[in-house]
Amino acid sequence: MSDKNSVNKEHLYFMNCALKQARKAFDRDEVPIGAVVVDPEGNIVARAYNMMHGKKCQTEHAEVRAIKKACKKIGDWRLDGYWVYVTLEPCTMCYGLMRLCRVSGLVYGAKSPLFGYRLDKDIDPGVYKNDTMQIVSGVLENEAIDILRVFFKKKRKKGEGRKEQYIKICKRTR
């Protein structure tokens, strides 16, 4: 894979693949977050979307599901050289899993002002001695925000309750 320090065509391509997964979650009435795992050669080895509400379990986040699929496919828990693309900034649980699996890079679309890993002041940035995970944020951010905004607007119209925490995620700051 080429340089991951700036938005490039690979970032855009793989984030679009993650957005396709988010649309699948949307269609299944799940919070629309999608993720893909990419191997060192630039091949997608796993795709997943949120299934937390349907499966009634917090471990059904898109990132966790994609990482589990990738580990199963390659037959190893170590994801050295692999990159995770996710439409929303990971929570501390998902971020920690990426660190433990030795993921080399994380690319995400929208920031999560309520649940993002950056909000946890106690998080240890390094798990292993040579922990150097690269992070790129804001790739197709508007598209990631838009699908979340539409989803929660639809939820409010259905009368399924207004959740202020998610409304904040969907607000655009320009």
Side-chain angles (χ1 to χ4, degrees):
M1 307 246 334
S2 64
D3 177 31
K4 295 292 182 194
N5 293 323
S6 63
V7 175
N8 59 39
K9 288 180 183 178
E10 286 178 338
H11 287 331
L12 296 173
Y13 173 76
F14 293 124
M15 188 57 70
N16 269 311
C17 293
L19 283 163
K20 285 180 186 175
Q21 293 299 305
R23 285 188 276 283
K24 288 181 179 183
F26 182 96
D27 292 343
R28 288 161 179 80
D29 206 29
E30 293 278 351
V31 177
I33 300 169
V36 296
V37 179
V38 179
D39 72 13
E41 289 77 41
N43 302 304
I44 295 175
V45 295
R47 295 171 168 81
Y49 54 86
N50 254 12
M51 290 188 66
M52 211 173 68
H53 296 288
K55 299 276 187 172
K56 309 235 182 298
C57 183
Q58 281 287 338
T59 62
E60 294 297 325
H61 287 200
E63 304 94 305
V64 174
R65 294 183 67 239
I67 288 169
K68 286 170 74 173
K69 287 179 180 183
C71 291
K72 184 175 182 177
K73 184 171 185 173
I74 68 168
D76 197 351
W77 62 267
R78 295 171 194 87
L79 296 175
D80 297 294
Y82 288 71
W83 283 71
V84 174
Y85 289 78
V86 62
T87 57
L88 184 67
E89 177 186 359
C91 68
T92 300
M93 174 183 70
C94 294
Y95 180 75
L97 177 62
M98 288 178 214
R99 292 282 190 190
L100 288 168
C101 290
R102 302 178 183 170
V103 168
S104 293
L106 162 65
V107 179
Y108 65 87
K111 291 179 182 165
S112 179
L114 293 165
F115 303 111
Y117 74 90
R118 295 171 298 109
L119 300 173
D120 190 343
K121 305 295 185 226
D122 297 324
I123 194 167
D124 179 7
V127 176
Y128 298 108
K129 189 174 183 179
N130 296 323
D131 189 358
T132 58
M133 184 165 77
Q134 296 177 50
I135 299 170
V136 178
S137 64
V139 176
L140 297 178
E141 180 175 24
N142 290 336
E143 291 84 342
I145 290 169
D146 286 345
I147 193 168
L148 287 164
R149 178 182 290 115
V150 170
F151 177 80
F152 288 109
K153 187 176 182 179
K154 180 179 116 179
K155 285 288 194 190
R156 287 189 304 275
K157 281 184 180 178
K158 280 184 173 179
E160 294 181 19
R162 182 177 177 152
K163 295 187 178 183
E164 289 298 323
Q165 58 197 20
Y166 290 128
I167 293 167
K168 288 180 186 177
I169 291 172
C170 298
K171 285 185 180 175
R172 250 183 240 227
T173 54
R174 290 187 178 174

